[in-house]
Amino acid sequence: MPFCTADPNLRNDWLTVGAASQLRAAPAAHPVPARLLGNDLLLWQNDAAAPHCSADGRALPIISRYGYLWVHTGDGPAPALFELPEFAQPGRRIVDCGGIGVATSGLRVVENFLDMAHFPYVHTGTLGKVPHTEVAPYRTAVDAASGEIWATECHFFQPRASASAGDGIDAHYRYRVMQPFTAALYKTCPNRAGEWDVIGLFVQPLDDEQVIAHVLLVYDEDVLLDAEMIAFQHMIFGQDKPILESQRPRRLPLSGPLEAHMRCDLTSSTYRRWLRQRGVTFGVHREPGA
Amino acid sequence: MIRLYDYELSGNCYKLRLLLHWLAVTYERIAVDFHPGRAHKSAWFMQNINPQGQLPVLDDDGFVLRDAQACLVYLASRYDPAGHWYPDDAQTRGRIQLWLATADDLTRGISAARLHYSFGYPADIAACERQGHATLRLLDDTLAENHCHGTRWLAGGAAPSIADIACFPYAALAGEARLDLRRYPALQAWIGAMRHRPGFIAMPGIIDPAL
Amino acid sequence: MTTRCDWFPALPAQALTVANTVVAASVCGQDLALWRSASGSVQAWEDRCPHRGVALSLGRVLGDRLACAYHGWEYAAGDGRCVAIPAMPHQPVPGKVCVKTFAAAECQGMVWVAPAENPPAVPPPVAATDTTPHFLRSIAIAVPWAMVEAALAAHDFTPAGPCQWRGAWAGHDRLLLWTLDASADWCLLHVASAAPPPQAQLPGLFGALRHLRERLQIAAGT
């Protein structure tokens, strides 16, 4: 079975197939199945715990970074994977929140991750609260060297910004889009002033309209148990899920009259323009006849 | 102090969180790493908390009880002196028992499909869909017919009972099992009625009307 | 067979009597969000917010407005125009942001919807009764509309107007039925009684309806 897209944005880059820990009990004789771009993959590790991957009987390059497995499905050389320096910082708490399936285009999942205006309505009482609904102006830019999107100077009033937050705070955010299907947010750390907690979103596209959204926490946190941090993250994601799954069309429109754009949607319009400029077609809505 | 072994995204755990909230009983929520950790299947959990390896589990000062429906009966019996949630008369109790059993059908159908789509659990999806629709149809039929007999609740009466709490979460989460509620208007009305009860609290996946 | 017309019997109006209700419905393959504004008028909107395409049936009724569940954008009953964007509370809302609305009319206890670009020239058909019918239930049958119509014809019901039937069944003399072509593979059958229904006979009628559903679905293999 071939991959369901030839889009070079996907085929030439690394795509995640989930946590590296899934290979712990997966020798070559008992590989773990995974699905990517409409194709069935097999993953295993050899005696030296090096990951391996095959699809259609062919070996595919696979690496393990940030506790996740990344596969290259294209023919040419793969670019370097994005950097996440906080991952290796001493004292950081790394928590893999696992992958949750969502029936929508991965581009919708990333766009939702970049949005603050929904906080008071979808994450009521935690990440936002009516009447603190206004999104103050912030900046977006595409970094010339890396080609990544950065949104900076974002902030939003949050009654309970994280699992360990006590009182409401004006949380500061920075957003980063590394690939069409990977993003990170950097937010005010309630425990240490001046530090950023990092949440990584790595979307595994099963096909144009089905994904597994993996979330990685790279936090400054000493007290909470993993289960408590995961519970908070799953609460947030679980609240987003019915919204994401009700969006029509499922695939993301990059232009045209289907959806309205306002100034408060700056990360969304930046992201869509960036996808258009890169010529992304996978997971993108096309008008019939277009 | 009641301790509830709990997972944020579990509809079965939410049933107890909802009833405990409506009963205004304080409790301690113990987060169990259901996913990705599968802590409920760990040796420690199965030896010390629940040999069935399932959530929720209730520990009320040493009285340990598993199974969401059993816990609903216990909590209503122990903490609801007015008897609203588990009324004392034989006919109502008989009806409630029927719906507690239906709640297991919802777990088998809708919850199983939801676990498959969300967490990759193996499932016979076609069977889950058939079971899911069959149970939703039963609920819709009952609620539509009950309405003509003057009640909007599963076990009859002027107010919801634990029968309604037992069946509510997975019916309301049917969308995550890829089942559309458009064809069940009476069921939609009942879901709306539950969500608009004073003091309602939601769970992720069920939209809270209050902001 | 009854005739079709521009109007479709979407739901009994009593489904929209409880405040703050938004019903997810389907008429002729068009997904709709049905709701009633505080001033009482019934609304049939495309179930899709023009901002990010989220289902409006997940939203909240705020008086004469419907607010989307995603970002709280508020749309006015009537023309569906966006009148509030909470993320930008101090800027005027652009005039062109609007939900796609359909003509909806409440007539003798039934909500009729015309899922067409332009509202029909004629009002919805009146029921073959001089009083508001007593609605009993709506039942979904997972077969095409024509199959339900054929079954009612074979059952000795008489056509009483577009998508409407009348007749006697299971101890009820003056039944009224409306068939809604919800989508290619399912219908909604609305059942009412022109006179106050004998309570003791209701279980028999309900059983007969369920049996009809089972029989048709088995025949259609659904």
Side-chain angles (χ1 to χ4, degrees), chain A residues 256-274:
Chain A
L258 265 183
E259 299 188 0
H261 289 267
M262 302 292 139
R263 276 227 318 273
C264 47
D265 299 321
L266 185 56
T267 52
S268 153
S269 41
T270 306
Y271 177 59
R272 293 188 186 199
R273 191 182 328 120
W274 182 82

Side-chain angles (χ1 to χ4, degrees), chain C:
Chain C
M1 302 281 269
T2 63
T3 53
R4 294 173 75 102
C5 72
D6 294 330
W7 295 96
F8 289 73
L11 259 197
Q14 69 182 25
L16 296 177
T17 42
V18 178
N20 307 316
T21 302
V22 189
V23 178
S26 217
V27 168
C28 235
Q30 172 69 57
D31 283 348
L32 297 174
L34 300 178
W35 61 288
R36 187 190 295 280
S37 68
S39 51
S41 69
V42 136
Q43 310 291 313
W45 288 6
E46 177 187 32
D47 197 1
R48 195 188 155 266
C49 177
H51 181 209
R52 287 289 171 271
V54 167
L56 286 173
S57 53
L58 299 177
R60 299 173 176 89
V61 176
L62 302 173
D64 286 328
R65 305 172 172 196
L66 183 61
C68 178
Y70 198 1
H71 303 95
W73 287 24
E74 297 175 21
Y75 299 90
D79 59 9
R81 250 182 335 109
C82 183
V83 293
I85 295 180
M88 311 184 329
H90 308 300
Q91 276 113 50
V93 177
K96 62 179 167 56
V97 182
C98 202
V99 176
K100 184 170 183 186
T101 64
F102 297 101
E106 196 172 339
C107 189
Q108 289 174 304
M110 177 60 75
V111 173
W112 294 85
V113 175
E117 284 301 319
N118 301 306
V122 296
V126 296
T129 173
D130 46 6
T131 55
T132 300
H134 300 257
F135 278 91
L136 301 176
R137 75 160 300 190
S138 303
I139 181 166
I141 306 182
V143 304
W145 178 78
M147 232 179 119
V148 175
E149 287 271 310
L152 295 179
H155 214 282
D156 267 350
F157 284 104
T158 318
C163 305
Q164 292 178 66
W165 297 83
R166 69 163 158 239
W169 198 14
H172 295 257
D173 290 334
R174 297 175 60 197
L175 286 181
L176 294 165
L177 296 91
W178 290 259
T179 53
L180 168 68
D181 184 354
S183 146
D185 55 5
W186 69 281
C187 292
L188 216 44
L189 179 64
H190 308 296
V191 182
S193 176
Q199 284 275 321
Q201 309 275 36
L202 282 175
L205 176 62
F206 290 143
L209 282 168
R210 283 183 262 114
H211 179 72
L212 174 71
R213 174 185 61 200
E214 276 22 291
R215 187 168 62 77
L216 291 178
Q217 288 181 181
I218 288 171
T222 51

Side-chain angles (χ1 to χ4, degrees), chain B residues 26 29 47 50 66 77-80 90-91 104 112 119 141 148-150 157 161 167 175 182-184 192 201:
Chain B
T26 34
R29 240 171 117 168
Q47 278 159 31
N50 181 3
R66 62 173 175 85
S77 302
R78 175 102 165 71
Y79 294 104
D80 179 28
Q91 287 187 5
D104 284 334
F119 301 137
D141 284 344
C148 288
H149 294 294
S161 69
C167 294
R182 262 167 235 281
R183 58 187 73 190
Y184 305 117
I201 53 163

